[in-house]
Amino acid sequence: MTATVEESAGDAIDGRPMVSVVMVAYNSAKYIEDAIRGVVNQRTEFPVQLIVSDDASTDDTEAIVSKWAARYPDIVEYHRNESNLGVQKNYLAAFRHCRGKYLAMCDADDYWTCRTKLARQVSYMEKHPECAICFHRVINYYEGSGEMSLSNGGGRAMQIHNAYDLSQRNVITNMSVLSRMSLLDFDNLPEWLGDVRLLDYAMHMLFAASRPENTIHFFKRPMGVYRHSAEAIWTMTEKNARIQMAIDVREHLIEEFADRPDLVANLKRACADMQSNMNKPDAPAKRKLLSRVRGAVSRLLPVPRP
């Protein structure tokens, strides 16, 4: 019988967990219990380390996480920054505590719904040593409207097999990823990672491109909920700012992969496409259609729980 994470926590060899889960948090008291519950409820035959990195929260985040750490001392590790570092530097601080063979992510406002998520992903990675990253479909939950949708529609994620494919488009939701930690030197990560807003895409690219033979695997099964705090319509300024963040991280990756002309060409092409979308308003008809589809699905299905 497969054990829960709690039951298997003592089975580590030399005290090393199979998976380190990084959960960054800042004033996350409203959501973080769902996120933690989704991790400790995992059914595995291996130990899991959950690192909660609190970026100097001013709400009840510390008290809530401390309660879970006391209940699951072999799983939950609570680390609090003395001052607020920002999301990117908080991630980098959390990475220093990872001891696992594999790295998973789950921000404090997201959560996993499938209790065999880690077991499925680890099983695949163990059987396929060439696989650098695996990821899965998620349910987008728009909290403001109560609508839901499935990520990676149109089969785009099924076309991501390696770093070359990923350099063309980013379809990976961060909380769905399992990465092979041995592929990167976490003591010598590029300094620019602390400055880019889209650190997740940068990390996925660094893992995927670390060896020529690396592959990426996609699970069609939805195994988590990615929470959107509100269904707000972006202003043009907000839209352009998000596009600029996506361009910025790609410009750093272009320099990082200067010896990979295939990746550089795709990254430059993606930047050009994004530049052309600057100042272009979204089509209201398309937005309305998407909202109708999400609304229809949401009326039929409840929001999954961890």
Side-chain angles (χ1 to χ4, degrees), residues 3-4 22 28 39 52 56 68 86 105 124 181 198 214 228 231 283:
T4 64
V22 165
S28 304
V39 177
V52 181
W68 282 90
M105 307 284 197
Y124 183 88
M181 287 203 66
L198 298 182
N214 282 350
H228 299 251
E231 176 87 64

Side-chain angles (χ1 to χ4, degrees), residues 193-260:
L193 286 174
D195 300 321
V196 295
R197 296 290 298 276
L198 298 182
L199 181 139
D200 54 345
Y201 180 57
M203 290 296 295
H204 304 335
M205 280 297 301
L206 290 172
F207 274 115
S210 59
R211 299 180 307 194
E213 68 272 21
N214 282 350
T215 62
I216 298 174
H217 180 72
F218 172 61
F219 291 86
K220 290 185 286 186
R221 181 188 181 99
M223 293 191 275
V225 169
Y226 177 62
R227 197 193 307 263
H228 299 251
S229 59
E231 176 87 64
I233 298 174
W234 296 353
T235 65
M236 186 60 67
T237 300
E238 290 168 334
K239 176 183 176 180
N240 287 345
R242 291 178 184 243
I243 291 175
Q244 189 59 55
M245 285 190 291
I247 292 173
D248 289 344
V249 70
R250 284 164 176 81
E251 288 177 342
H252 282 289
L253 289 169
I254 287 168
E255 293 185 16
E256 188 71 27
F257 299 129
D259 61 341
R260 291 285 306 271

Side-chain angles (χ1 to χ4, degrees), residues 109-173:
D109 54 350
D110 303 323
Y111 57 90
W112 298 340
T113 56
C114 177
R115 295 192 175 193
T116 58
K117 166 195 155 68
L118 290 182
R120 291 169 184 270
Q121 290 184 293
V122 167
S123 176
Y124 183 88
M125 298 284 273
E126 289 288 280
K127 294 173 183 175
H128 298 85
E130 74 285 357
C131 186
I133 301 172
C134 63
F135 69 106
H136 58 78
R137 213 170 189 189
V138 305
I139 296 170
N140 293 304
Y141 174 49
Y142 302 88
E143 192 174 43
S145 64
E147 296 173 359
M148 290 183 290
S149 68
L150 281 174
S151 69
N152 303 315
R156 290 182 302 169
M158 297 179 68
Q159 299 169 15
I160 305 296
H161 304 295
N162 49 42
Y164 180 84
D165 299 331
L166 188 59
S167 65
Q168 297 181 75
R169 65 182 66 86
N170 179 25
V171 298
I172 298 178
T173 305

Side-chain angles (χ1 to χ4, degrees), residues 2 45 79 118 120 188 222 238 302:
T2 303
E45 295 178 350
H79 301 276
L118 290 182
R120 291 169 184 270
N188 294 286
E238 290 168 334

